[in-house]
């Protein structure tokens, strides 16, 4: 049975670290991926990166099929993903399971081209655009210690500052398990 993993939250050091590349896919990693899907689904998220479950490795998952207009988009597991090209620009409001109750407008490229490894460690490439590309970029940012709030302009940041401080002090309790103060 997959396990529900507690999610790391804003202010925790692991969310600001550069991850380590994955060198091989073993049973431990496969179990982690299963647990991450289970955790993401239970938290009603559309993406989750390994540092959000306290694992400092280059792994993230994306599944936007819970949204009606994207219901045919298959879940995507990315090992060692790298964005190699990007085009255009769009502004979309984002949120993050690690930053509960905070939302803000983020400008990002509209279309991306990326490479990643699959479970056989084979290198694959893919193209994504629109909302799907948006979520992939948000998750890959997590692998480099970057959070969506880093993109907010001064006015947007001002609006969410109090909530960010609350999260830092572990004073929020979303309806999914998070790490409590160490
Ligand atoms: Ni996030």
């Amino acid at each position: 049975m997959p396990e529900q993993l507690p999610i790391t939250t804003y202010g925790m050091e692991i969310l600001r670290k550069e991850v380590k590349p994955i060198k091989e896919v073993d049973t431990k990693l496969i179990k982690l991926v299963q647990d991450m899907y289970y955790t993401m689904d239970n938290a009603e998220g559309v993406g989750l990166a390994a540092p959000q479950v306290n694992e400092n490795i280059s792994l993230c998952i994306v599944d936007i099929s819970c949204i009606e207009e994207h219901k045919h988009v298959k879940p995507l597991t990315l090992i060692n993903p790298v964005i190699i090209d990007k085009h255009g620009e769009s502004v979309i409001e984002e949120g993050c399971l690690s930053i509960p109750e905070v939302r803000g407008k983020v400008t990002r490229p509209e279309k991306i081209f990326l490479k990643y490894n699959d479970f056989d460690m084979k290198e694959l490439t893919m193209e994504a655009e629109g909302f799907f590309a948006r979520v992939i970029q948000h998750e890959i940012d997590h692998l480099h210690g970057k959070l969506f709030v880093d993109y907010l302009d001064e006015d947007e940041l001002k609006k969410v500052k109090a909530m960010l401080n609350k999260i830092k002090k572990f004073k929020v309790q979303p309806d999914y398990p998070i790490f409590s103060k160490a």
Side-chain angles (χ1 to χ4, degrees):
M1 268 298 280
E3 276 173 77
Q4 171 99 28
L5 305 170
I7 288 177
T8 55
T9 49
Y10 182 82
M12 290 182 71
E13 205 183 321
I14 184 132
L15 290 176
R16 291 309 195 175
K17 280 187 178 165
E18 180 75 30
V19 292
K20 295 189 180 83
I22 290 171
K23 297 209 174 85
E24 58 163 349
V25 175
D26 54 15
T27 52
K28 202 181 143 222
L29 188 89
I30 291 168
K31 166 85 163 86
L32 175 66
V33 171
Q34 289 167 346
D35 289 347
M36 282 174 67
Y37 273 106
Y38 186 76
T39 300
M40 177 179 72
D41 290 345
N42 280 335
E44 290 176 16
V46 290
L48 192 66
Q52 294 183 275
V53 291
N54 210 29
E55 293 286 346
N56 191 32
I57 54 172
S58 188
L59 165 72
C60 58
I61 59 172
V62 172
D63 185 1
I64 62 170
S65 65
C66 56
I67 299 164
E68 177 63 23
E69 61 172 309
H70 303 295
K71 66 181 177 192
H72 300 298
V73 182
K74 289 197 176 71
L76 180 66
T77 304
L78 299 171
I79 295 171
N80 302 324
V82 179
I83 293 172
I84 39 188
D85 205 4
K86 41 197 173 186
H87 298 283
E89 197 181 277
S90 71
V91 184
I92 300 183
E93 197 179 69
E94 293 188 21
C96 179
L97 294 178
S98 291
I99 318 177
E101 291 177 51
V102 174
R103 299 193 68 81
K105 288 190 192 96
V106 178
T107 304
R108 293 187 193 269
E110 167 70 13
K111 197 171 174 178
I112 54 169
F113 194 67
L114 64 145
K115 59 174 188 176
Y116 64 100
N117 294 121
D118 67 5
F119 283 111
D120 299 318
M121 287 303 274
K122 204 169 96 186
E123 191 173 282
L124 301 178
T125 56
M126 69 172 284
E127 220 179 72
E129 60 183 317
F131 184 69
F132 194 39
R134 165 71 48 160
V135 181
I136 293 170
Q137 291 177 82
H138 175 120
E139 298 315 324
I140 292 178
D141 267 358
H142 274 298
L143 307 178
H144 303 293
K146 194 145 185 164
L147 301 171
F148 84 88
V149 289
D150 301 342
Y151 296 97
L152 300 184
D153 63 34
E154 233 173 276
D155 283 349
E156 290 262 292
L157 200 57
K158 227 180 249 171
K159 283 188 251 169
V160 300
K161 197 87 202 168
M163 185 53 79
L164 290 179
N165 284 329
K166 242 176 114 172
I167 300 168
K168 254 193 214 169
K169 291 176 188 152
F170 299 93
K171 281 182 177 159
V172 286
Q173 184 51 70
D175 46 19
Y176 46 86
I178 56 169
F179 269 83
S180 49
K181 198 174 178 176

